[in-house]
Amino acid sequence: MTLYTSTVVTPRKPSRVWAKIGENTAYALGLPIILLVIWGVWSSISPAPFFPSPLVIFDAFIDTWVGPAFFNDVLPSLGRLAISIVLAVVLGIAAGTVIGLVRWLRELLEPIFEFFRAVPPPVLIPIVAVLVGANDTMKVVVMVTGAIWPVLLNTIEGVRSTDSVMTETAQSFAVTRSERLRYLVLPAASPRIMTGVRQCLSIALILMVISEMFFSSSGLGYQIVFFQRNYLIAQMWSGIVLLGLIGVLLAVIFGFVERRVLRWYHGVKEVERA
């Protein structure tokens, strides 16, 4: 007689869920608060012109970015950043899926990918500016050129490493190519794809700032360089703080999307841990 066992996952109690949320919040906010307190005490004991206190930076933040600069510099930068991320993700997933499925194409393009991946995107700014002009298109092209690689390469590896047994089983059941792509290949590659998207976000944010430091008269990166050149130290630090807050916002949005895209994946991990 064969015995079948099953793992029963009991739902967490609401009190435990709220306790876990409180614990995660304390971990997330505890260290930054401690660092701010240390910074404030140190700046009051030993004032330095290039390291103003957090209160001074906060005042500069309100005066600088809460007003016309938010609409003239921050929003256009965020718009270009959003467009670049969407293009990098869509193009990276589409091209990576095709290359991952076609073996001869993957072997043909691999040396070329290794070459262009090693080229730092900032060195392409003068070339792109000559080709397309010193405008918003140049900034978007630079961001897409650098941010697409993690998505593209992770998609290729994720598609290539699809379980062969499941692929052969789908073929034996006469599953169409489009159905295999939708229900097997892309779900199997989605954890690797989301890893590439996470890296894409940070690279795009960095390139947003760098692209606005050249051939630009507006944008968040331009303003930070402007403040630095004119010795407006508190305003410069406020721009750096704003970049950090944008990075945190991107991380929160990515975590929200990832939990829904990879809901099945995290569910399997929960069952395995249980």
Side-chain angles (χ1 to χ4, degrees):
M1 182 177 62
T2 304
L3 296 178
Y4 296 93
T5 59
S6 60
T7 302
V8 179
V9 181
T10 57
R12 296 181 178 179
K13 296 181 179 179
S15 59
R16 292 182 58 189
V17 173
W18 285 108
K20 188 66 176 179
I21 294 175
E23 182 181 351
N24 293 336
T25 304
Y27 275 115
L29 299 179
L31 182 59
I33 292 175
I34 293 174
L35 292 177
L36 286 175
V37 171
I38 295 175
W39 188 352
V41 173
W42 175 65
S43 61
S44 62
I45 296 176
S46 178
F50 296 105
F51 294 96
S53 68
L55 293 178
V56 174
I57 296 175
F58 178 77
D59 292 337
F61 185 94
I62 299 299
D63 295 336
T64 304
W65 305 112
V66 180
F70 179 79
F71 299 97
N72 298 331
D73 297 299
V74 179
L75 283 185
S77 295
L78 293 179
R80 290 188 292 267
L81 177 65
I83 294 173
S84 302
I85 291 174
V86 171
L87 288 176
V89 171
V90 172
L91 295 176
I93 293 176
T97 302
V98 174
I99 297 170
L101 291 173
V102 182
R103 181 177 179 180
W104 66 266
L105 184 60
R106 182 172 65 249
E107 295 177 351
L108 176 66
L109 295 177
E110 185 175 0
I112 301 176
F113 286 163
E114 293 298 330
F115 174 80
F116 283 104
R117 185 179 64 168
V119 177
V123 305
L124 300 176
I125 292 178
I127 300 175
V128 177
V130 171
L131 294 177
V132 303
N135 48 31
D136 291 346
T137 303
M138 178 269 293
K139 301 169 187 175
V140 172
V141 170
V142 171
M143 284 186 276
V144 173
T145 303
I148 194 175
W149 293 107
V151 182
L152 176 64
L153 298 177
N154 277 279
T155 302
I156 293 174
E157 290 300 317
V159 171
R160 188 175 65 87
S161 59
T162 304
D163 187 80
S164 58
V165 175
M166 297 182 66
T167 302
E168 294 173 357
T169 303
Q171 292 175 350
S172 65
F173 280 96
V175 178
T176 63
R177 187 182 299 271
S178 61
E179 290 176 340
R180 290 202 304 269
L181 179 64
R182 179 179 178 182
Y183 296 108
L184 175 60
V185 176
L186 289 179
S190 57
R192 296 292 298 268
I193 293 175
M194 296 307 293
T195 301
V197 173
R198 179 189 294 272
Q199 299 172 359
C200 165
L201 297 179
S202 59
I203 295 175
L205 182 60
I206 294 172
L207 292 177
M208 180 197 77
V209 179
I210 295 177
S211 65
E212 292 175 350
M213 291 180 175
F214 302 92
F215 308 105
S216 180
S217 59
S218 63
L220 188 53
Y222 167 80
Q223 289 296 335
I224 292 176
V225 173
F226 174 82
F227 294 145
Q228 180 262 331
R229 290 174 178 173
N230 290 275
Y231 294 96
L232 300 173
I233 306 303
Q235 289 79 358
M236 180 192 71
W237 277 104
S238 70
I240 296 173
V241 171
L242 180 57
L243 283 176
L245 294 177
I246 294 174
V248 172
L249 177 62
L250 289 177
V252 171
I253 295 174
F254 173 80
F256 179 81
V257 174
E258 183 193 33
R259 283 193 297 270
R260 278 147 184 80
V261 173
L262 300 181
R263 183 180 303 172
W264 63 271
Y265 180 77
H266 295 304
V268 171
K269 293 297 182 181
E270 287 289 338
V271 171
E272 291 177 353
R273 284 195 294 267

